[in-house]
Amino acid sequence: MARKKKADEGGGGAPAWLVTYSDLVTLLLTFFVLLLSMANMDKMKFNDALGSLKGAFGLSGSVGKIDITKPKVISFAPMDDDFINRLYQKVNTALTRLRIDKDIDLVKDRGAVVLRVKESILFDSGSTLLKAEAHSILRKIAALVKPLPLNMRIEGHTDDLSSANPQSSNWDLSVQRAVSTLKFFASEKLIPLERMSAVGYGAQQPIVPNTSNEQRALNRRVEFVLESLGHYKKELPYLIDANDQLPF
């Protein structure tokens, strides 16, 4: 009888080592799932995941705050092909209506819609001062761009020939022309200043090889890049969900 009672007291169930092993496997699985969820380094998700990880391992209190704050960088958010195609068609129609389609090339480039204007329309050779006759062209561009809930980046470009002014490089010339154009829009209050930016690329972004005078003339240009900052689908849902609601 005593021997039978001792056998009954042993009971059933998994061995102790198996329970410990199962806990370890579960924690490892949790750990790798958390690593995967933190792959985009989103700060809020990272901190939430850190708290979950601490809880999973039975830690309490603070183990030191992890600061992954990054400097804010304004980045260009390319628009998808469907949106670009519809925007291109609407802008092209507006160019024809405003009768400036002969003065401006409309292209799709770098994930955006670009208005491309030749140097000779806006500036004299080597000059950074806008021509008087360029004002009407720029006013028409402003009338086209202002209704669009998009930002505009003004880019200056030159050919590869050295500047005639030894004190000014092609890069300087391209920047000054972009800024002069921006100042005109701002001084005339044609487009809000916060929607514009100016940049110069010198001869670094030719559209054709600089192998002839005609091709160099094409590379000397000012471009108006219609761009979106951030996630434009969230900011401009009515432009994405409806085909005919671009503001023209």
Side-chain angles (χ1 to χ4, degrees):
M1 292 295 290
R3 184 175 299 174
K4 183 179 180 180
K5 182 177 181 180
K6 184 175 181 180
D8 292 339
E9 289 176 352
W17 68 267
L18 182 59
V19 175
T20 302
Y21 177 79
S22 299
D23 288 342
L24 178 60
V25 170
T26 302
L27 289 174
L28 286 174
L29 176 62
T30 303
F31 176 75
F32 286 111
V33 170
L34 289 172
L35 284 180
L36 179 62
S37 68
M38 292 185 295
N40 62 359
M41 292 303 292
D42 183 273
K43 183 178 179 181
M44 183 175 296
K45 291 181 179 179
F46 185 92
N47 289 331
D48 290 343
L50 179 61
S52 299
L53 187 60
K54 287 161 56 180
F57 282 99
L59 301 177
S60 61
S62 175
V63 294
K65 184 177 180 181
I66 298 178
D67 186 5
I68 59 169
T69 303
K70 299 179 180 178
K72 184 178 180 181
V73 177
I74 298 176
S75 58
F76 172 58
M79 298 175 282
D80 64 33
D81 291 340
D82 177 64
F83 183 87
I84 289 176
N85 289 334
R86 288 192 285 111
L87 179 60
Y88 176 89
Q89 293 300 326
K90 295 292 184 180
V91 174
N92 192 43
T93 300
L95 285 174
T96 303
R97 189 181 75 244
L98 293 171
R99 298 180 180 179
I100 57 175
D101 54 310
K102 293 182 180 180
D103 299 318
I104 297 177
D105 292 328
L106 181 66
V107 298
K108 291 177 282 187
D109 186 25
R110 290 168 286 164
V113 173
V114 181
L115 302 169
R116 183 174 290 160
V117 184
K118 296 177 182 178
E119 169 207 50
S120 58
I121 295 175
L122 302 179
F123 299 95
D124 290 323
S125 179
S127 174
T128 61
L129 298 177
L130 287 167
K131 291 181 177 180
E133 54 267 33
H135 294 181
S136 62
I137 297 293
L138 294 178
R139 288 191 178 95
K140 289 180 180 180
I141 291 176
L144 186 155
V145 173
K146 187 174 181 180
L148 291 170
L150 297 170
N151 292 336
M152 181 174 71
R153 185 172 70 251
I154 304 169
E155 298 182 351
H157 299 269
T158 69
D159 58 27
D160 63 339
L161 296 180
S162 300
S163 173
N165 183 358
Q167 303 299 321
S168 176
S169 66
N170 282 332
W171 208 336
D172 296 324
L173 181 64
S174 66
V175 171
Q176 291 169 16
R177 285 179 170 179
V179 171
S180 294
T181 306
L182 184 148
K183 285 182 176 179
F184 175 80
F185 286 126
S187 63
E188 297 287 322
K189 298 181 179 179
L190 300 175
I191 298 177
L193 186 59
E194 61 270 16
R195 289 180 55 191
M196 297 185 293
S197 61
V199 61
Y201 290 102
Q204 300 304 310
Q205 292 190 1
I207 54 177
V208 294
N210 287 293
T211 55
S212 68
N213 291 333
E214 292 77 14
Q215 289 177 309
R216 288 190 176 94
L218 292 176
N219 288 329
R220 297 192 300 268
R221 67 201 191 275
V222 174
E223 294 187 342
F224 302 88
V225 182
L226 305 182
E227 64 182 12
S228 175
L229 295 180
H231 200 301
Y232 71 95
K233 288 186 177 181
K234 293 181 180 178
E235 297 172 0
L236 314 172
Y238 62 94
L239 292 182
I240 305 303
D241 298 333
N243 291 329
D244 299 317
Q245 291 197 18
L246 280 170
F248 289 107

